[in-house]
Amino acid sequence: MRINAVVLREPGTPVAVEEVELDGPRADEVLVRVAAAGVCHSDVYLADGALGHGRWPMVLGHEGAGVVEAVGERVTHVAPGDRVAFSFVPSCGQCRACRAGRRNLCEPAGRNALHGTLMDGTSRLRDGAGATLQHGLMTACFAERTVVAAAGAVPLGVRIPLWQASLLGCGVVTGAGAVRNAAGVRLGDSVAVIGCGGVGLQVVAAANLAGAGRIIAVDRDSAKLELALARGATDAVEVAGHGDARRVRDLAGGGVDHAFEVVGRPDTMRLAWDVLRPGATAVVVGLAPAGVEVSLPAIEFLSEKAIKGCYYGSTDVADELPRLARLVESGRLSLADVITHTTELDGVQEALDRLRRGEGARTVVIVDRELAYA
Ligand SMILES: [Zn+2]
Ligand SMILES: [Zn+2]
């Protein structure tokens, strides 16, 4: 079928809406009519070529929600008409990582995401000239329709607006999972959240729900700090470039129990390390461009500080995502307030530029107005 989709042709050139050809779903795949999709900082990195070579031409978009239109003959967990959000790690359940319970690190899913293919190593997307297009992170949801691996379409289970549900599959799972699974924040703990964009604000909200006693939001943009305070941060520290770590440590009485880095830069990773109390752990959620390195004062390992990575919430997204949807339905987790802009498919380039400038939290692309607000 012919659909409109946002295509990245070459890094550094603007993305544009093209009419492309989408093949129907194979046996283990699902065709979804996209309602809405969030624009994430990883899309900027992909568009800038910062995640490595060979990742274009590609249909972008890895965070979204929609309605199932057709399923392959081996798909049983969803049916046409079901409301789903996308998971960009449709784990196989059989590889070493999956068997060890670390489905977010599924090996074939990771490999295929890197190659821009679905789980069988092929693409369903072609451009007007017949050339193969890559599926952005196995999702390719800046498009009117998309075909994803079965496990990439996660049923929401509850009825929440799809323009809000579109954020679940990247920003929300990533932020909430970092708090719950990577850090294990407990009642009364102190937390620093460095970087309060689309994902950082989810970390703040999840830390609040987890009962953190002190939630210190750190950013260089006062508007984002305001949003963080509205989502449960107890303190806001505007980055000055010097003395930032001391200010955070002082607020937490000598250092925080958990620091979350949600930017992806060496200086903010170092800041996450510097605000820890002895024995505490920094969780790096932010994605850094390929080639970036970070250095730490090694003597401080004496104080049993630790730093660890967290990919996609360190969780099984198929399990976590419906749980988060229920929190949204019950009103305990608000998503509407982090959506600072909405646009249409032809507004993706502008949304990427906003992220490059560090403006606003999340832009949501309303692909199908009727579905998105239903
Ligand atoms: Zn993302
Ligand atoms: Zn696997």
Side-chain angles (χ1 to χ4, degrees):
M1 69 202 77
R2 295 223 146 230
I3 57 161
N4 287 310
V6 176
V7 179
L8 166 70
R9 283 280 162 193
E10 286 271 349
T13 62
V15 300
V17 178
E18 292 185 23
E19 202 177 61
V20 307
E21 190 70 32
L22 175 68
D23 292 338
R26 295 190 180 171
D28 295 306
E29 295 168 359
V30 177
L31 170 67
V32 179
R33 193 168 145 206
V34 179
V39 186
C40 171
H41 213 278
S42 318
D43 296 313
V44 173
Y45 283 151
L46 279 166
D48 290 348
L51 298 184
H53 285 279
R55 310 201 65 179
W56 52 84
M58 172 187 276
V59 172
L60 286 172
H62 62 275
E63 174 186 90
V67 174
V68 173
E69 242 179 16
V71 300
E73 65 258 25
R74 282 201 292 268
V75 176
T76 55
H77 75 298
V78 287
D82 285 355
R83 296 153 70 86
V84 295
F86 299 116
S87 160
F88 58 80
V89 181
S91 43
C92 73
Q94 280 146 32
C95 71
R96 192 172 42 177
C98 284
R99 286 200 315 271
R102 307 191 70 180
R103 285 182 167 252
N104 60 314
L105 301 180
C106 174
E107 292 159 12
R111 217 165 31 240
N112 284 300
L114 196 62
H115 295 150
T117 52
L118 295 183
M119 286 300 260
D120 69 352
T122 65
S123 170
R124 304 291 159 272
L125 289 160
R126 275 164 290 126
D127 68 10
T132 301
L133 296 168
Q134 297 189 26
H135 293 247
L137 295 190
M138 305 187 82
T139 308
C141 64
F142 292 160
E144 291 168 329
R145 283 173 175 77
T146 185
V147 169
V148 296
V154 182
L156 289 169
V158 293
R159 199 171 175 92
I160 58 174
L162 293 178
W163 69 287
Q164 294 177 27
S166 70
L167 302 189
L168 289 171
C170 181
V172 181
V173 162
T174 298
V179 168
R180 200 175 78 105
N181 308 313
V185 173
R186 293 183 302 181
L187 207 61
D189 284 355
S190 58
V191 163
V193 183
I194 299 164
C196 296
V199 177
L201 289 170
Q202 303 302 340
V203 174
V204 168
N208 188 31
L209 280 170
R214 195 117 205 188
I215 303 171
I216 304 163
V218 182
D219 204 289
R220 59 184 178 192
D221 177 8
S222 57
K224 287 186 195 152
L225 289 172
E226 285 301 320
L227 282 170
L229 289 168
R231 287 172 80 70
T234 57
D235 303 271
V237 170
E238 195 167 333
V239 171
H242 55 88
D244 300 319
R246 173 166 297 281
R247 282 195 289 155
V248 174
R249 282 200 308 270
D250 287 349
L251 282 167
V256 296
D257 297 313
H258 312 275
F260 296 90
E261 197 276 352
V262 206
V263 184
R265 291 198 342 217
D267 56 334
T268 42
M269 289 178 201
R270 176 61 194 269
L271 181 59
W273 176 268
D274 288 340
V275 300
L276 296 174
R277 65 162 174 72
T281 298
V283 176
V284 176
V285 182
L287 176 65
V292 168
E293 298 197 357
V294 61
S295 72
L296 300 168
I299 193 167
E300 293 184 21
F301 286 115
L302 264 181
S303 63
E304 297 196 2
K305 285 171 149 188
I307 187 162
K308 68 191 283 195
C310 174
Y311 181 61
Y312 212 3
S314 306
T315 193
D316 176 359
V317 174
D319 180 56
E320 186 103 27
L321 199 149
R323 213 174 11 223
L324 294 166
R326 284 197 293 279
L327 284 174
V328 176
E329 190 202 25
S330 68
R332 300 186 65 205
L333 177 63
S334 160
L335 297 184
D337 59 344
V338 302
I339 299 170
T340 48
H341 300 78
T342 58
T343 187
E344 294 176 6
L345 282 175
D346 60 8
V348 168
Q349 177 60 33
E350 199 186 323
L352 295 175
D353 286 338
R354 256 195 306 276
L355 282 168
R356 289 185 180 103
R357 293 193 299 268
E359 279 173 34
R362 250 329 181 244
T363 296
V364 166
V365 182
I366 305 296
V367 182
D368 185 312
R369 192 157 285 280
E370 204 177 312
L371 285 186
Y373 292 108

